[in-house]
PDB file of all heavy atoms in Angstrom:
ATOM      1  N   ARG A 261      -5.673  12.107  -4.440  1.00  0.00           N
ATOM      2  CA  ARG A 261      -6.682  11.259  -5.098  1.00  0.00           C
ATOM      3  C   ARG A 261      -6.156   9.849  -5.374  1.00  0.00           C
ATOM      4  O   ARG A 261      -6.348   9.301  -6.468  1.00  0.00           O
ATOM      5  CB  ARG A 261      -7.200  11.926  -6.383  1.00  0.00           C
ATOM      6  CG  ARG A 261      -7.838  13.277  -6.155  1.00  0.00           C
ATOM      7  CD  ARG A 261      -8.802  13.656  -7.272  1.00  0.00           C
ATOM      8  NE  ARG A 261      -8.193  13.692  -8.584  1.00  0.00           N
ATOM      9  CZ  ARG A 261      -7.617  14.766  -9.122  1.00  0.00           C
ATOM     10  NH1 ARG A 261      -7.562  15.904  -8.427  1.00  0.00           N
ATOM     11  NH2 ARG A 261      -7.099  14.724 -10.327  1.00  0.00           N
ATOM     12  N   THR A 262      -5.507   9.264  -4.388  1.00  0.00           N
ATOM     13  CA  THR A 262      -5.078   7.878  -4.506  1.00  0.00           C
ATOM     14  C   THR A 262      -6.169   6.948  -3.989  1.00  0.00           C
ATOM     15  O   THR A 262      -7.130   7.379  -3.354  1.00  0.00           O
ATOM     16  CB  THR A 262      -3.767   7.637  -3.737  1.00  0.00           C
ATOM     17  OG1 THR A 262      -3.955   8.008  -2.369  1.00  0.00           O
ATOM     18  CG2 THR A 262      -2.633   8.466  -4.334  1.00  0.00           C
ATOM     19  N   ASP A 263      -6.009   5.665  -4.276  1.00  0.00           N
ATOM     20  CA  ASP A 263      -7.017   4.683  -3.885  1.00  0.00           C
ATOM     21  C   ASP A 263      -6.782   4.123  -2.494  1.00  0.00           C
ATOM     22  O   ASP A 263      -7.708   3.610  -1.859  1.00  0.00           O
ATOM     23  CB  ASP A 263      -7.027   3.516  -4.887  1.00  0.00           C
ATOM     24  CG  ASP A 263      -7.297   3.994  -6.296  1.00  0.00           C
ATOM     25  OD1 ASP A 263      -8.416   4.470  -6.545  1.00  0.00           O
ATOM     26  OD2 ASP A 263      -6.379   3.904  -7.143  1.00  0.00           O
ATOM     27  N   ALA A 264      -5.533   4.178  -2.041  1.00  0.00           N
ATOM     28  CA  ALA A 264      -5.187   3.619  -0.740  1.00  0.00           C
ATOM     29  C   ALA A 264      -3.985   4.367  -0.191  1.00  0.00           C
ATOM     30  O   ALA A 264      -3.322   5.132  -0.902  1.00  0.00           O
ATOM     31  CB  ALA A 264      -4.877   2.119  -0.867  1.00  0.00           C
ATOM     32  N   MET A 265      -3.707   4.121   1.091  1.00  0.00           N
ATOM     33  CA  MET A 265      -2.548   4.715   1.734  1.00  0.00           C
ATOM     34  C   MET A 265      -2.012   3.718   2.753  1.00  0.00           C
ATOM     35  O   MET A 265      -2.693   2.755   3.124  1.00  0.00           O
ATOM     36  CB  MET A 265      -2.922   6.024   2.429  1.00  0.00           C
ATOM     37  CG  MET A 265      -3.895   5.851   3.582  1.00  0.00           C
ATOM     38  SD  MET A 265      -4.438   7.423   4.339  1.00  0.00           S
ATOM     39  CE  MET A 265      -2.884   8.037   4.993  1.00  0.00           C
ATOM     40  N   THR A 266      -0.798   3.937   3.210  1.00  0.00           N
ATOM     41  CA  THR A 266      -0.253   3.125   4.292  1.00  0.00           C
ATOM     42  C   THR A 266      -0.356   3.909   5.596  1.00  0.00           C
ATOM     43  O   THR A 266      -0.402   5.134   5.608  1.00  0.00           O
ATOM     44  CB  THR A 266       1.210   2.744   4.023  1.00  0.00           C
ATOM     45  OG1 THR A 266       1.987   3.937   3.841  1.00  0.00           O
ATOM     46  CG2 THR A 266       1.321   1.865   2.778  1.00  0.00           C
ATOM     47  N   ALA A 267      -0.409   3.155   6.713  1.00  0.00           N
ATOM     48  CA  ALA A 267      -0.639   3.786   8.004  1.00  0.00           C
ATOM     49  C   ALA A 267       0.125   3.062   9.102  1.00  0.00           C
ATOM     50  O   ALA A 267       0.403   1.864   9.005  1.00  0.00           O
ATOM     51  CB  ALA A 267      -2.131   3.779   8.335  1.00  0.00           C
ATOM     52  N   SER A 268       0.448   3.797  10.144  1.00  0.00           N
ATOM     53  CA  SER A 268       1.055   3.228  11.344  1.00  0.00           C
ATOM     54  C   SER A 268      -0.028   2.996  12.392  1.00  0.00           C
ATOM     55  O   SER A 268      -0.864   3.873  12.627  1.00  0.00           O
ATOM     56  CB  SER A 268       2.108   4.179  11.912  1.00  0.00           C
ATOM     57  OG  SER A 268       2.476   3.789  13.220  1.00  0.00           O
ATOM     58  N   PRO A 269      -0.041   1.823  13.050  1.00  0.00           N
ATOM     59  CA  PRO A 269      -1.066   1.550  14.062  1.00  0.00           C
ATOM     60  C   PRO A 269      -0.669   1.989  15.463  1.00  0.00           C
ATOM     61  O   PRO A 269      -1.406   1.751  16.419  1.00  0.00           O
ATOM     62  CB  PRO A 269      -1.166   0.022  14.006  1.00  0.00           C
ATOM     63  CG  PRO A 269       0.248  -0.414  13.736  1.00  0.00           C
ATOM     64  CD  PRO A 269       0.824   0.641  12.809  1.00  0.00           C
ATOM     65  N   TRP A 270       0.494   2.611  15.605  1.00  0.00           N
ATOM     66  CA  TRP A 270       1.106   2.821  16.917  1.00  0.00           C
ATOM     67  C   TRP A 270       0.192   3.537  17.899  1.00  0.00           C
ATOM     68  O   TRP A 270       0.169   3.242  19.091  1.00  0.00           O
ATOM     69  CB  TRP A 270       2.414   3.606  16.738  1.00  0.00           C
ATOM     70  CG  TRP A 270       3.190   3.796  18.012  1.00  0.00           C
ATOM     71  CD1 TRP A 270       3.275   4.927  18.758  1.00  0.00           C
ATOM     72  CD2 TRP A 270       3.987   2.821  18.694  1.00  0.00           C
ATOM     73  NE1 TRP A 270       4.079   4.742  19.847  1.00  0.00           N
ATOM     74  CE2 TRP A 270       4.533   3.442  19.829  1.00  0.00           C
ATOM     75  CE3 TRP A 270       4.303   1.493  18.455  1.00  0.00           C
ATOM     76  CZ2 TRP A 270       5.363   2.772  20.728  1.00  0.00           C
ATOM     77  CZ3 TRP A 270       5.134   0.830  19.344  1.00  0.00           C
ATOM     78  CH2 TRP A 270       5.647   1.471  20.462  1.00  0.00           C
ATOM     79  N   MET A 271      -0.596   4.493  17.414  1.00  0.00           N
ATOM     80  CA  MET A 271      -1.415   5.309  18.314  1.00  0.00           C
ATOM     81  C   MET A 271      -2.842   4.794  18.488  1.00  0.00           C
ATOM     82  O   MET A 271      -3.657   5.413  19.159  1.00  0.00           O
ATOM     83  CB  MET A 271      -1.405   6.763  17.860  1.00  0.00           C
ATOM     84  CG  MET A 271      -0.029   7.397  17.997  1.00  0.00           C
ATOM     85  SD  MET A 271       0.096   9.100  17.394  1.00  0.00           S
ATOM     86  CE  MET A 271      -0.976   9.953  18.539  1.00  0.00           C
ATOM     87  N   GLY A 272      -3.164   3.650  17.878  1.00  0.00           N
ATOM     88  CA  GLY A 272      -4.408   2.980  18.213  1.00  0.00           C
ATOM     89  C   GLY A 272      -5.632   3.322  17.390  1.00  0.00           C
ATOM     90  O   GLY A 272      -5.550   3.921  16.316  1.00  0.00           O
ATOM     91  N   ASP A 273      -6.783   2.903  17.947  1.00  0.00           N
ATOM     92  CA  ASP A 273      -8.057   2.967  17.226  1.00  0.00           C
ATOM     93  C   ASP A 273      -8.361   4.351  16.679  1.00  0.00           C
ATOM     94  O   ASP A 273      -8.703   4.509  15.495  1.00  0.00           O
ATOM     95  CB  ASP A 273      -9.203   2.556  18.159  1.00  0.00           C
ATOM     96  CG  ASP A 273      -9.029   1.171  18.741  1.00  0.00           C
ATOM     97  OD1 ASP A 273      -7.926   0.823  19.189  1.00  0.00           O
ATOM     98  OD2 ASP A 273     -10.019   0.442  18.765  1.00  0.00           O
ATOM     99  N   ASP A 274      -8.297   5.366  17.545  1.00  0.00           N
ATOM    100  CA  ASP A 274      -8.721   6.699  17.125  1.00  0.00           C
ATOM    101  C   ASP A 274      -7.693   7.366  16.225  1.00  0.00           C
ATOM    102  O   ASP A 274      -7.911   8.488  15.753  1.00  0.00           O
ATOM    103  CB  ASP A 274      -9.042   7.581  18.325  1.00  0.00           C
ATOM    104  CG  ASP A 274      -7.901   7.652  19.327  1.00  0.00           C
ATOM    105  OD1 ASP A 274      -6.964   6.847  19.235  1.00  0.00           O
ATOM    106  OD2 ASP A 274      -7.949   8.521  20.216  1.00  0.00           O
ATOM    107  N   SER A 275      -6.598   6.687  15.956  1.00  0.00           N
ATOM    108  CA  SER A 275      -5.623   7.157  14.981  1.00  0.00           C
ATOM    109  C   SER A 275      -5.865   6.532  13.612  1.00  0.00           C
ATOM    110  O   SER A 275      -5.809   7.211  12.585  1.00  0.00           O
ATOM    111  CB  SER A 275      -4.210   6.820  15.466  1.00  0.00           C
ATOM    112  OG  SER A 275      -3.251   7.090  14.477  1.00  0.00           O
TER     113      SER A 275
END
Side-chain angles (χ1 to χ4, degrees):
R261 301 203 302 271
T262 57
D263 302 294
M265 65 184 296
T266 57
S268 167
W270 184 256
M271 294 177 65
D273 302 45
D274 54 347
S275 172

